[in-house]
Amino acid sequence: MAEKVLMKGNEAIAEAAIRAGCLHYFGYPITPQTELAAYMAKRMPKIEGGVFLQAESEIAAINMVYGVASTGKRVMTSSSSPGVSLKQEGISYIAGADLPALIVNVQRGGPGLGGIQPSQSDYFQATKGGGHGDYHLIVLTPASVQEMADLTGLAFDLADKYRMPAMLLADGTMGQMMEPVELPDSAPEMIAKPWAVTGTQMQRKHNIINSLYLVPEELEKTNFERYQRYAEVEKNEVRYEEYMMDDAEICVVAFGIAARVSRNAVVEARKQGIKAGLIRPITIWPFPKAAIAKAATHCKEIISVELSMGQMIEDIALASECKVPVTLCNRAGGMIPEPDQVFEAIKKAAGGNE
Amino acid sequence: MLNPRRVTLFCGHYGTGKTNIAVNYAFYLKRQLGKSVKIADMDIVNPYFRTKDSERELSEAGIELISPRYANTNVDLPALPAELYGLFEYTDSFAVLDIGGDDRGAYALGRFAPLILEENNFDNFYVANFYRPLTSTVEDTIEVMREIEAAGKIPFTGIVNNSNLGDETRPEDIIGKIPLADELAERCKIPVVMTAVKRDISGEIGRDDILPLDLQAKYY
């Protein structure tokens, strides 16, 4: 590993993407994600073969991603909530054409134009498809600037491996905060992409990148095949972190900035003799269902801490099969819960049956 | 440590710690001089982590904060408050100005440059952090300094070495970058005026130009 540097989360994603072999970036500026595009604008022209293009809109940018992804090159775009909504049509096409690509969403408060402060209210959009049709993205949720970098490289690897778009779902705080980070300095491992449209040189059958099927039986078949691949992802790629869960009686589930806040609350609860623990999903699709199900066997309540009106809580309720109460501790519209608020929720849950 | 001019500007590449330095310097001035000190947030770039975050501490120390009305709200407008003019009309207070990052942030300063140059009682400090990847070398730093000077229209008069890795900064991390700060100073023909260090390790650097930092941004 190289020397540590001090970076904003947005910059760490950009530099990690370049080091993961992504030489094509298309985007459109929006707070609180703009530093990512600005960093790409500065760095890409200095790299051989590097392309930075500020498109005329988010819709143009995602379709440029679709084009480059078709050639098998690593490619990405980034935006914040309203801009990611604009990209949904293109993301559906990329998923429908079975192409790898990275989409970064540094979320801000919504709905509508909302605000510029941090939020996690695009959980549904990220994990349940987002655009039209049956599809999924692999969705990774960083909780530190180091993870912003690490998960960027992982997202490219997973997208290539399973031929599907991946999303890094961060929030404004993660994008704007500054922390020391170690960036990988080894060359990324690239897998062969025999499906890519790179010119046949009259040496092979031509490849077709497409999401339109004229015969419904064929379209159905591609959908079933795609979902077999998704089943593999659900089997192999679930990632999460547990903190003090072994003997926990109260389970807090939170990702991203909410997980950092919650960890403080769990520490405080333990100090006061309450057996609290934290499950931090790192992938939210695939969702760590087994970890939640296990928690439901030894915890008396699960608390979902979210910067939204409660979205992940539905996946927690499903995964726990509602065996124990699942409650919400939240702020919304750009506000972040304080550790105290989470601690009070833990205290209330602990006191309920005593 | 130094003989402060009436107006002190802090400029730099974004994310080098200008806001943190400006706030801590305002506290330092207030403690050292006991005179009236005002701090102005002139950042038109950054949406989060602003001077206004230290509003309560500044107010308790008797330091007046001049901040855009929309700072820390959802109004993402590069608007500056009219009260800024008062800083230059009434010269009885010391003024600390936190300028936005890079040349883009420094454009806002250009508007006030004629007033600052005419009064001619200012320092314009470049805040350097050699742990920031786009300004990790003397060469890259000089390029950014020239861009900022062109936009802000005020020459730099000194360098603040704020090389740090946030919460994880160890004394040797700072000491290791002192030669780069010295080389930058020599190349630009201006002095290193301060070395910024977290309060808890400020005694371990072995320099007499330490600006101890009490307030740091925290992210839970």
Side-chain angles (χ1 to χ4, degrees):
Chain A
M1 288 298 225
E3 187 190 49
K4 274 195 180 181
V5 289
L6 186 68
M7 294 185 100
K8 274 199 179 197
N10 285 333
E11 297 175 310
I13 293 174
E15 182 60 35
I18 292 169
R19 292 180 188 220
C22 172
L23 299 183
H24 298 82
Y25 174 91
F26 305 96
Y28 189 84
I30 180 171
T31 306
Q33 158 284 159
T34 300
E35 293 84 3
L36 205 170
Y39 192 92
M40 289 295 195
K42 280 211 159 158
R43 281 278 277 129
M44 282 297 194
K46 294 178 180 171
I47 299 167
E48 197 184 331
V51 174
F52 164 85
L53 202 152
Q54 181 175 325
E56 67 268 36
S57 70
E58 287 86 350
I59 297 168
I62 192 69
N63 283 291
M64 292 171 186
V65 169
Y66 184 15
V68 171
S70 305
T71 71
K73 299 267 193 281
R74 286 192 165 177
V75 58
M76 71 177 289
T77 186
S78 62
S79 191
S80 179
S81 307
V84 176
S85 289
L86 282 168
K87 292 181 195 291
Q88 290 304 325
E89 181 197 51
I91 295 172
S92 169
Y93 278 53
I94 292 168
D98 296 313
L99 295 173
L102 175 63
I103 299 113
V104 176
N105 183 358
V106 184
Q107 299 166 92
R108 53 188 255 179
L113 204 45
I116 63 170
Q117 302 295 329
S119 167
Q120 298 180 326
S121 53
D122 302 346
Y123 180 95
F124 283 152
Q125 186 193 59
T127 59
K128 311 295 177 194
H132 60 279
D134 287 315
Y135 74 91
H136 277 293
L137 312 174
I138 294 170
V139 187
L140 300 155
T141 60
S144 66
V145 175
Q146 184 64 55
E147 267 194 354
M148 292 287 253
D150 296 346
L151 296 184
T152 296
L154 178 64
F156 277 113
D157 290 344
L158 294 179
D160 279 353
K161 184 175 176 189
Y162 295 101
R163 281 188 67 178
M164 60 188 288
M167 175 174 276
L168 209 61
L169 190 72
D171 66 78
T173 323
M174 300 305 312
Q176 294 294 324
M177 68 165 61
M178 295 187 71
E179 285 179 334
V181 54
E182 272 178 74
L183 293 154
D185 51 8
S186 56
E189 270 184 48
M190 300 288 192
I191 60 169
K193 294 175 180 174
W195 47 263
V197 285
T198 53
T200 64
Q201 315 298 325
M202 308 301 273
Q203 299 294 310
R204 61 164 167 81
K205 204 167 158 273
H206 63 267
N207 289 333
I208 296 173
I209 300 294
N210 175 45
S211 72
L212 172 67
Y213 291 84
L214 300 180
V215 182
E217 286 83 354
E218 260 185 62
L219 178 55
E220 184 192 44
K221 189 165 155 272
T222 64
N223 272 289
F224 273 100
E225 283 169 0
R226 191 170 298 123
Y227 269 68
Q228 279 170 13
R229 234 177 322 128
Y230 290 167
E232 285 296 300
V233 177
E234 290 208 82
K235 200 173 83 188
N236 301 332
E237 306 301 345
V238 171
R239 284 167 171 81
Y240 61 94
E241 181 188 55
E242 286 188 339
Y243 178 64
M244 309 211 105
M245 277 303 296
D246 284 350
D247 63 342
E249 289 169 5
I250 309 296
C251 170
V252 179
V253 184
F255 65 93
I257 186 68
R260 294 171 71 121
V261 174
S262 298
R263 196 182 167 101
N264 284 321
V266 166
V267 169
E268 183 58 31
R270 287 277 172 174
K271 267 188 213 158
Q272 302 207 13
I274 302 171
K275 287 183 176 170
L278 172 69
I279 297 177
R280 176 172 77 87
I282 297 171
T283 53
I284 49 173
W285 196 92
F287 192 70
K289 291 176 191 169
I292 303 287
K294 187 174 160 222
T297 63
H298 62 85
C299 295
K300 59 179 180 179
E301 183 167 326
I302 303 177
I303 304 169
S304 184
V305 181
E306 303 183 55
L307 277 64
S308 76
M309 293 309 293
Q311 301 191 12
M312 179 172 67
I313 191 172
E314 294 191 4
D315 283 337
I316 298 170
L318 276 172
S320 64
E321 295 173 350
C322 297
K323 282 178 181 148
V324 293
V326 182
T327 54
L328 179 66
C329 173
N330 69 323
R331 295 294 298 269
M335 300 302 294
I336 303 175
E338 288 291 327
D340 270 356
Q341 184 187 346
V342 181
F343 171 67
E344 288 303 323
I346 293 171
K347 209 163 82 176
K348 194 173 155 213
N353 296 334
E354 270 167 18
Chain B
M1 175 168 65
L2 54 97
N3 187 20
R5 306 287 175 115
R6 196 191 70 78
V7 176
T8 308
L9 311 167
F10 291 98
C11 297
H13 172 50
Y14 82 84
T16 50
K18 296 170 295 298
T19 298
N20 203 27
I21 298 294
V23 169
N24 282 283
Y25 182 74
F27 281 113
Y28 168 84
L29 271 189
K30 187 73 190 173
R31 275 197 307 269
Q32 297 292 311
L33 305 172
K35 291 182 185 163
S36 168
V37 175
K38 296 179 180 180
I39 183 167
D41 174 2
M42 285 188 59
D43 192 339
I44 56 166
V45 180
N46 224 21
Y48 303 176
F49 310 129
R50 319 235 347 186
T51 319
K52 200 179 169 73
D53 296 340
S54 308
E55 196 169 17
R56 189 175 51 82
E57 290 89 345
L58 288 164
S59 161
E60 282 168 7
I63 298 165
E64 187 183 325
L65 167 66
I66 299 171
S67 173
R69 181 173 305 170
Y70 304 119
N72 286 357
T73 74
N74 280 328
V75 186
D76 199 5
L77 272 183
L80 294 173
E83 289 85 349
L84 275 175
Y85 285 98
L87 285 180
F88 309 108
E89 276 174 34
Y90 309 103
T91 54
D92 50 342
S93 294
F94 282 83
V96 177
L97 274 70
D98 174 19
I99 313 296
D102 289 342
D103 49 341
R104 285 169 196 284
Y107 283 122
L109 174 61
R111 175 69 189 85
F112 299 94
L115 298 169
I116 295 168
L117 292 169
E118 189 188 6
E119 185 194 350
N120 197 21
N121 190 4
F122 70 91
D123 264 314
N124 186 16
F125 294 147
Y126 180 83
V127 180
N129 182 353
F130 291 106
Y131 287 102
R132 296 282 292 139
L134 294 183
T135 53
S136 61
T137 67
V138 170
E139 211 57 52
D140 288 344
T141 305
I142 289 175
E143 193 181 318
V144 171
M145 289 175 79
R146 294 296 162 253
E147 288 167 2
I148 291 173
E149 281 182 329
K153 300 190 176 73
I154 298 188
F156 283 113
T157 60
I159 289 157
V160 178
N161 182 11
N162 187 39
S163 295
N164 76 89
L165 286 166
D167 274 356
E168 291 183 19
T169 314
R170 302 160 304 171
E172 56 264 40
D173 296 325
I174 298 169
I175 292 164
K177 297 296 181 185
I178 287 172
L180 282 182
D182 288 342
E183 189 191 333
L184 180 67
E186 201 182 311
R187 293 270 301 272
C188 297
K189 299 187 171 54
I190 52 176
V192 175
V193 290
M194 288 180 262
T195 304
V197 190
K198 285 190 301 178
R199 170 74 74 181
D200 58 332
I201 55 168
S202 59
E204 297 171 51
I205 308 301
R207 287 177 70 97
D208 55 10
D209 65 353
I210 300 294
L211 175 69
L213 304 175
D214 293 310
L215 285 180
Q216 294 266 33
K218 283 216 168 27
Y219 320 112
Y220 304 104

